[in-house]
Amino acid sequence: IARSREHALTNLFDLSTACLEAGQRFSELFASTSREAIHHGSKRWSHFGHGQVESMTQWPATVWLETSARTSRLLDNTLEILGEAQKAMIRSAEAQVRVVDEIVFATINRATRTSPWEVEIGLRAMKTSLETAETTLQGMSAAAIETVDLAEHEVHQIAKTVADAKPATRKRTATRPSANQ
């Protein structure tokens, strides 16, 4: 009982640590994104102050591209942090189930030693089914973590594509002489 309580507290501590780290990473992410947005905004306004006509005509497209790139990086980093927190929750839940399973296995073993042989057969079958369920849970946890990793990778690729986007150049069409001329 003392060991299972210690394991449960360790699992809660690990989960709390993962949540605190995620919160700290979110704070750092939002602070750096805000600083970057302020820096780019002040740089853009300084171009206007110097009367650069080119910057004024390209302002909407430039602002949209810079904002979409920053937003895609923010989304990418946010989902990465959430993915890491999700994986920590999955691992913590799996570890906690193992703690409960240890208690159940210890109880079954104790009952097996003091029971008649007819009951012992049923208890062994119960123990085998619990071991199978634990193995299945480990497989499901591994699949869930792999799914989170795949989702993070896909979002990272999308964010990189958006961040690398360049403004399309406009082609000016020459005016054609009309047929009447």
Side-chain angles (χ1 to χ4, degrees):
I1 292 173
R3 190 174 65 211
S4 64
R5 187 178 309 152
E6 182 181 321
H7 286 298
L9 289 174
T10 301
N11 291 336
L12 287 173
F13 178 75
D14 291 343
L15 182 60
S16 298
T17 301
C19 290
L20 287 173
E21 287 175 0
Q24 182 179 8
R25 288 178 64 193
F26 273 130
S27 295
E28 292 169 358
L29 175 65
F30 291 136
S32 67
T33 302
S34 297
R35 282 191 300 271
E36 184 181 350
I38 290 170
H39 173 73
H40 283 291
S42 65
K43 189 168 76 171
R44 191 64 47 211
W45 284 109
S46 72
H47 288 290
F48 284 141
H50 297 302
Q52 294 178 353
V53 178
E54 291 175 1
S55 66
M56 286 192 262
T57 58
Q58 296 175 353
W59 182 72
T62 305
V63 168
W64 184 83
L65 285 173
E66 286 178 355
T67 303
S68 65
R70 271 196 314 275
T71 303
S72 68
R73 284 191 303 273
L74 177 65
L75 179 64
D76 182 38
N77 290 332
T78 299
L79 291 177
E80 179 184 335
I81 293 168
L82 288 174
E84 292 300 319
Q86 180 68 27
K87 288 186 269 187
M89 290 174 65
I90 291 168
R91 289 183 192 112
S92 177
E94 183 181 350
Q96 191 58 37
V97 168
R98 276 194 302 264
V99 169
V100 172
D101 285 349
E102 284 179 21
I103 294 170
V104 172
F105 288 143
T107 304
I108 290 173
N109 289 338
R110 185 174 303 125
T112 302
R113 286 190 297 266
T114 60
S115 299
W117 68 271
E118 298 90 4
V119 176
E120 187 178 332
I121 294 170
L123 291 174
R124 277 194 225 137
M126 188 185 322
K127 186 175 179 180
T128 303
S129 66
L130 283 173
E131 288 170 344
T132 304
E134 188 172 322
T135 303
T136 302
L137 176 66
Q138 290 171 353
M140 289 171 48
S141 295
I145 288 172
E146 186 177 329
T147 302
V148 171
D149 287 337
L150 288 172
E152 282 180 8
H153 180 70
E154 288 178 12
V155 169
H156 178 70
Q157 293 299 322
I158 292 169
K160 185 177 181 203
T161 302
V162 171
D164 292 343
K166 302 286 185 226
T169 56
R170 293 185 181 176
K171 294 181 181 179
R172 293 187 181 203
T173 56
T175 56
R176 293 185 208 163
S178 65
N180 294 341
Q181 292 179 351

Short mmCIF file of all heavy atoms in Angstrom, two decimals, residues 7-21 88-89 92 95:
data_model
loop_
_atom_site.label_atom_id
_atom_site.label_comp_id
_atom_site.label_asym_id
_atom_site.label_seq_id
_atom_site.Cartn_x
_atom_site.Cartn_y
_atom_site.Cartn_z
N HIS A 7 4.04 5.49 -5.64
CA HIS A 7 4.01 5.51 -7.11
C HIS A 7 2.93 6.48 -7.61
O HIS A 7 3.15 7.20 -8.58
CB HIS A 7 3.74 4.12 -7.66
CG HIS A 7 4.90 3.19 -7.57
ND1 HIS A 7 6.10 3.42 -8.21
CD2 HIS A 7 5.05 2.02 -6.91
CE1 HIS A 7 6.94 2.44 -7.95
NE2 HIS A 7 6.33 1.57 -7.15
N ALA A 8 1.77 6.48 -6.95
CA ALA A 8 0.69 7.39 -7.36
C ALA A 8 1.11 8.85 -7.18
O ALA A 8 0.86 9.68 -8.06
CB ALA A 8 -0.58 7.10 -6.57
N LEU A 9 1.77 9.14 -6.08
CA LEU A 9 2.24 10.51 -5.86
C LEU A 9 3.32 10.90 -6.87
O LEU A 9 3.35 12.04 -7.35
CB LEU A 9 2.77 10.67 -4.43
CG LEU A 9 1.70 10.66 -3.34
CD1 LEU A 9 2.35 10.67 -1.96
CD2 LEU A 9 0.75 11.84 -3.50
N THR A 10 4.18 9.96 -7.21
CA THR A 10 5.20 10.22 -8.22
C THR A 10 4.56 10.50 -9.57
O THR A 10 4.98 11.42 -10.28
CB THR A 10 6.18 9.02 -8.33
OG1 THR A 10 6.78 8.81 -7.05
CG2 THR A 10 7.24 9.27 -9.37
N ASN A 11 3.52 9.73 -9.91
CA ASN A 11 2.82 9.97 -11.18
C ASN A 11 2.17 11.35 -11.20
O ASN A 11 2.23 12.06 -12.21
CB ASN A 11 1.75 8.90 -11.42
CG ASN A 11 2.36 7.55 -11.69
OD1 ASN A 11 3.50 7.45 -12.14
ND2 ASN A 11 1.62 6.50 -11.40
N LEU A 12 1.53 11.72 -10.09
CA LEU A 12 0.91 13.05 -10.01
C LEU A 12 1.96 14.15 -10.09
O LEU A 12 1.73 15.20 -10.71
CB LEU A 12 0.09 13.17 -8.73
CG LEU A 12 -1.22 12.40 -8.71
CD1 LEU A 12 -1.86 12.48 -7.33
CD2 LEU A 12 -2.16 12.94 -9.77
N PHE A 13 3.10 13.93 -9.43
CA PHE A 13 4.18 14.91 -9.49
C PHE A 13 4.69 15.08 -10.92
O PHE A 13 4.89 16.20 -11.38
CB PHE A 13 5.33 14.48 -8.55
CG PHE A 13 6.50 15.41 -8.60
CD1 PHE A 13 6.45 16.64 -7.98
CD2 PHE A 13 7.66 15.04 -9.27
CE1 PHE A 13 7.54 17.50 -8.03
CE2 PHE A 13 8.75 15.89 -9.33
CZ PHE A 13 8.69 17.13 -8.71
N ASP A 14 4.88 13.96 -11.62
CA ASP A 14 5.35 14.03 -13.01
C ASP A 14 4.34 14.74 -13.90
O ASP A 14 4.71 15.55 -14.75
CB ASP A 14 5.63 12.63 -13.56
CG ASP A 14 6.84 11.97 -12.90
OD1 ASP A 14 7.64 12.69 -12.28
OD2 ASP A 14 6.96 10.73 -13.02
N LEU A 15 3.06 14.46 -13.69
CA LEU A 15 2.02 15.13 -14.48
C LEU A 15 1.97 16.62 -14.17
O LEU A 15 1.87 17.45 -15.08
CB LEU A 15 0.66 14.48 -14.21
CG LEU A 15 -0.51 15.04 -14.99
CD1 LEU A 15 -0.28 14.89 -16.50
CD2 LEU A 15 -1.80 14.36 -14.58
N SER A 16 2.08 16.97 -12.90
CA SER A 16 2.10 18.38 -12.51
C SER A 16 3.30 19.10 -13.11
O SER A 16 3.19 20.23 -13.58
CB SER A 16 2.13 18.52 -10.98
OG SER A 16 0.99 17.97 -10.42
N THR A 17 4.44 18.42 -13.08
CA THR A 17 5.66 19.01 -13.67
C THR A 17 5.47 19.26 -15.16
O THR A 17 5.84 20.32 -15.68
CB THR A 17 6.86 18.08 -13.43
OG1 THR A 17 7.03 17.90 -12.03
CG2 THR A 17 8.13 18.66 -14.02
N ALA A 18 4.88 18.30 -15.86
CA ALA A 18 4.63 18.46 -17.30
C ALA A 18 3.68 19.63 -17.57
O ALA A 18 3.90 20.41 -18.50
CB ALA A 18 4.06 17.17 -17.89
N CYS A 19 2.66 19.77 -16.73
CA CYS A 19 1.71 20.88 -16.91
C CYS A 19 2.38 22.23 -16.62
O CYS A 19 2.15 23.21 -17.34
CB CYS A 19 0.49 20.69 -16.01
SG CYS A 19 -0.58 19.34 -16.54
N LEU A 20 3.20 22.28 -15.59
CA LEU A 20 3.92 23.52 -15.28
C LEU A 20 4.89 23.89 -16.39
O LEU A 20 5.01 25.07 -16.77
CB LEU A 20 4.65 23.40 -13.94
CG LEU A 20 3.76 23.42 -12.70
CD1 LEU A 20 4.59 23.12 -11.46
CD2 LEU A 20 3.05 24.76 -12.57
N GLU A 21 5.60 22.90 -16.92
CA GLU A 21 6.52 23.16 -18.03
C GLU A 21 5.76 23.66 -19.26
O GLU A 21 6.22 24.57 -19.95
CB GLU A 21 7.32 21.90 -18.38
CG GLU A 21 8.38 21.56 -17.37
CD GLU A 21 9.07 20.23 -17.67
OE1 GLU A 21 8.72 19.57 -18.67
OE2 GLU A 21 9.96 19.87 -16.89
N ALA A 88 2.50 13.46 -22.08
CA ALA A 88 2.78 13.31 -20.64
C ALA A 88 1.54 12.80 -19.91
O ALA A 88 1.64 11.96 -19.01
CB ALA A 88 3.23 14.64 -20.04
N MET A 89 0.37 13.28 -20.30
CA MET A 89 -0.87 12.80 -19.68
C MET A 89 -1.11 11.32 -19.99
O MET A 89 -1.54 10.56 -19.12
CB MET A 89 -2.06 13.65 -20.15
CG MET A 89 -2.04 15.05 -19.60
SD MET A 89 -3.34 16.10 -20.29
CE MET A 89 -4.79 15.29 -19.68
N SER A 92 1.31 9.32 -17.92
CA SER A 92 0.92 9.36 -16.52
C SER A 92 -0.28 8.45 -16.26
O SER A 92 -0.31 7.72 -15.26
CB SER A 92 0.59 10.79 -16.11
OG SER A 92 0.14 10.83 -14.78
N ALA A 95 0.89 4.87 -16.32
CA ALA A 95 1.63 4.54 -15.11
C ALA A 95 0.68 4.36 -13.92
O ALA A 95 0.88 3.46 -13.10
CB ALA A 95 2.66 5.63 -14.81
#
